[in-house]
Amino acid sequence: MPGDLYLLAGRYRLIERLGQGGAGTVWRAIDEILDRQVAVKQVRVPEGLTPRERAEFADRAIHEARSAGRLRDPAIVVVHDVVLEGDQPWIIMDIVSGRSLDKVIREQGPLPPAFVAAVGLRVLSALEVAHTHGMLHHDVKPANILLEADGSAMLTDFGIAVPVGGGHKFAGAGSPGYMAPERLNEQPSGPASDLWSLGASLYTAVEGRAPFERELSAAVVAAVLLHEPPFPARAGRELGGLLVAMLAKDPAVRPTASQVRQVLTGLAGGAPVPRSATGKRRWLLPAVLAAVVALGAGGWYAAGALRGGPETGRFVTAPDPCELLGDADAARLMKGRPDPDSGRSRPGECQWIIRDQGQNRRLVVRVWAEKPNGDLSGPQVAERRFTSEKSTRGAAEGAVSRDARGKVGDVDGVGESAIVQNAFRFYLNSNETGTSDSILLFRTSNLLGEVIWRREDVPASAPEDKAPAEAVARLVSQALSRSN
């Protein structure tokens, strides 16, 4: 890997690493000929290729980067150059100062639906330009959406764009939770695949969590392929219905780009959107119902959540999790004094950390309130989400690669219903030690909560330790009963 002052192609001086992902590594560099800063992407070359395959991969990477360089739209980061050194492709792009959408979500939590719709319109514009030129992005996700200071959005990483119907040379690129089901199944992909990824990204922005969020990557893949995401309660009826339709398993029943644009424009406060029988309301419900037919019984949630419903439940908003568990109780159950940096880690989450030479330990408490949707009250939404999570976590039982997940068990005395599951992940450099998690999910009225008890540097032979998670959940449940 190049060092800090590596000079690429006798022109681009690499200054610092900006980020790294499945598709490659991005560096900040100086173009010494034009004396300007640029972003340089070192494309990840798949392992295990023969010399001939590596050469073919490099040729294909150069060809597709050049094709991406022809794309012009205010929401597309411009590709200026492509360089090949040996068999390593490098892509030279504009450097953008905006913050990625995923960082904004982590810092601020769920974003307002109108703002999310405006971001969606900008990204959709970039995708429509690419699709018009016969290119697919193949990696639309919050980390690749940059927000400028004025609130405008740009879509980055067109360097891995591929032709529509153009094979799978970049099949390893992308993040499972944002890859359309047909891509995970290695089936032909098209513009509808990018729109699915856009829907998943907007869902994450408006809900504050990904539609198929799971602890293990294998469970994420299984959820994308087999399960329906919970209806996005914070999105509202119209945006929520659109996102559900965009996430349909069958590409044929997803809304088209023009239909997506029509709804987002109305929600973002742009030009009025026709509400006649030929407008958005005509396609929206049939699209969701078609998804129900394609998905089978799992589609009941989306269709049911589009109807109207009243009761909020006991919790209008979720309580502060840091006030539900005292530091003294956390220290007693964790068997040590938590570090000073323990406390609120993000909206709706609190953590306590103990670092020592024997074994590092972390305790996380999360709570969030579900809102009514259609005929479903807040408690009904929470109950159905809990049931969906229980089923999905149970489906992830077993060992995949370096991860292992145990059975889902019921827990008594915590809220109205609760489950716990143990998991173990080996470290990359060890077949003997790793991290051990006990993850407990519970429901009280319209409130869902999660307790994660994590131990690091644990021998694989060590017994499971779910007792602290259950004890914490009981204390939190008792605090909730007193708070309302």
Side-chain angles (χ1 to χ4, degrees):
M1 183 176 291
D4 284 345
L5 298 180
Y6 182 82
L7 185 63
L8 173 66
R11 175 173 180 174
Y12 304 105
R13 181 78 62 181
L14 305 191
I15 304 300
E16 63 173 327
R17 189 202 311 257
L18 296 178
Q20 184 169 343
T25 303
V26 178
W27 305 78
R28 182 191 303 274
I30 298 293
D31 181 343
E32 296 194 339
I33 293 180
L34 298 180
D35 191 25
R36 65 174 180 177
Q37 289 196 35
V38 294
V40 176
K41 179 162 188 175
Q42 179 184 9
V43 178
R44 183 182 68 84
V45 179
E47 298 179 358
L49 299 183
T50 65
R52 178 177 178 179
E53 289 172 335
R54 288 179 67 92
E56 291 176 349
F57 178 88
D59 288 343
R60 181 60 176 271
I62 291 175
H63 174 75
E64 305 311 343
R66 287 172 176 166
S67 298
R70 294 195 292 268
L71 303 179
R72 290 293 183 270
D73 185 86
I76 294 178
V77 177
V78 176
V79 175
H80 292 293
D81 192 8
V82 59
V83 173
L84 184 66
E85 283 202 348
D87 53 10
Q88 173 65 64
W90 303 76
I91 300 170
I92 318 302
M93 303 172 287
D94 268 348
I95 192 163
V96 183
S97 59
R99 297 159 64 210
S100 64
L101 179 58
D102 67 328
K103 291 182 179 178
V104 174
I105 296 168
R106 285 199 300 270
E107 294 170 4
Q108 300 183 18
L111 303 176
F115 177 79
V116 172
V119 170
L121 280 172
R122 292 275 295 190
V123 177
L124 179 63
S125 175
L127 292 175
E128 286 180 304
V129 169
H131 297 164
T132 300
H133 285 76
M135 302 295 297
L136 301 177
H137 187 280
H138 260 192
D139 200 19
V140 180
K141 59 185 178 182
N144 283 338
I145 299 172
L146 300 183
L147 303 182
E148 299 288 347
D150 62 359
S152 61
M154 297 186 73
L155 182 60
T156 69
D157 232 358
F158 267 98
I160 68 165
V162 300
V164 174
H168 299 282
K169 291 293 184 180
F170 287 91
S175 301
Y178 298 97
M179 292 172 66
E182 59 269 22
R183 287 198 60 208
L184 293 175
N185 277 326
E186 297 188 359
Q187 299 296 315
S189 56
S193 303
D194 277 347
L195 294 182
W196 189 98
S197 300
L198 174 59
S201 300
L202 299 183
Y203 183 114
T204 302
V206 76
E207 286 292 285
R209 64 182 64 216
F212 302 97
E213 184 178 71
R214 303 291 189 274
E215 290 291 328
L216 301 178
S217 58
V220 173
V221 172
V224 171
L225 294 175
L226 303 174
H227 298 284
E228 180 188 7
F231 188 87
R234 296 181 176 90
R237 179 174 181 262
E238 203 154 30
L239 179 58
L242 172 65
L243 298 180
V244 167
M246 293 174 72
L247 293 174
K249 308 297 185 192
D250 184 354
V253 304
R254 296 172 199 157
T256 64
S258 62
Q259 292 169 332
V260 172
R261 172 174 294 281
Q262 186 180 33
V263 177
L264 293 181
T265 299
L267 294 171
V273 180
R275 296 175 178 270
S276 65
T278 59
K280 63 188 176 186
R281 297 191 185 278
R282 181 175 179 181
W283 74 261
L284 186 58
L285 185 58
V288 175
L289 294 178
V292 172
V293 173
L295 292 171
W300 59 266
Y301 191 104
L306 287 176
R307 302 188 290 264
E311 184 193 350
T312 299
R314 286 177 51 201
F315 301 90
V316 177
T317 59
D320 183 349
C322 292
E323 297 180 359
L324 297 175
L325 181 69
D327 291 342
D329 286 327
R332 173 175 58 83
L333 293 170
M334 297 175 72
K335 299 179 180 178
R337 177 177 297 177
D339 288 4
D341 57 354
S342 298
R344 193 172 293 100
S345 45
R346 66 176 184 177
E349 179 179 290
C350 195
Q351 66 176 356
W352 292 262
I353 303 171
I354 293 178
R355 297 185 177 93
D356 57 37
Q357 295 181 352
Q359 185 187 92
N360 296 337
R361 303 180 292 285
R362 182 187 302 267
L363 177 65
V364 178
V365 176
R366 301 170 180 159
V367 290
W368 65 96
E370 298 290 355
K371 298 181 180 180
N373 274 284
D375 289 342
L376 299 175
S377 65
Q380 287 175 321
V381 173
E383 181 179 11
R384 294 186 177 191
R385 179 160 188 168
F386 179 89
T387 302
S388 174
E389 287 289 329
K390 182 176 182 179
S391 173
T392 301
R393 297 183 187 201
E397 177 188 341
V400 178
S401 184
R402 308 185 70 81
D403 298 321
R405 188 166 288 262
K407 293 183 178 180
V408 171
D410 294 320
V411 180
D412 296 328
V414 178
E416 296 176 34
S417 49
I419 56 173
V420 67
Q421 186 177 39
N422 295 299
F424 188 90
R425 173 177 294 177
F426 283 104
Y427 292 134
L428 290 176
N429 60 350
S430 173
N431 290 321
E432 298 179 355
T433 59
T435 59
S436 176
D437 290 339
S438 291
I439 306 165
L440 188 149
L441 179 73
F442 67 91
R443 181 185 68 83
T444 297
S445 184
N446 64 311
L447 190 90
L448 289 172
E450 190 170 52
V451 176
I452 300 175
W453 168 237
R454 169 166 293 183
R455 298 176 295 152
E456 300 179 1
D457 300 316
V458 177
S461 58
E464 297 171 342
D465 185 26
K466 63 181 181 180
E470 294 182 354
V472 168
R474 289 190 175 92
L475 289 174
V476 169
S477 181
Q478 293 169 9
L480 287 171
S481 65
R482 295 191 297 268
S483 67
N484 246 262

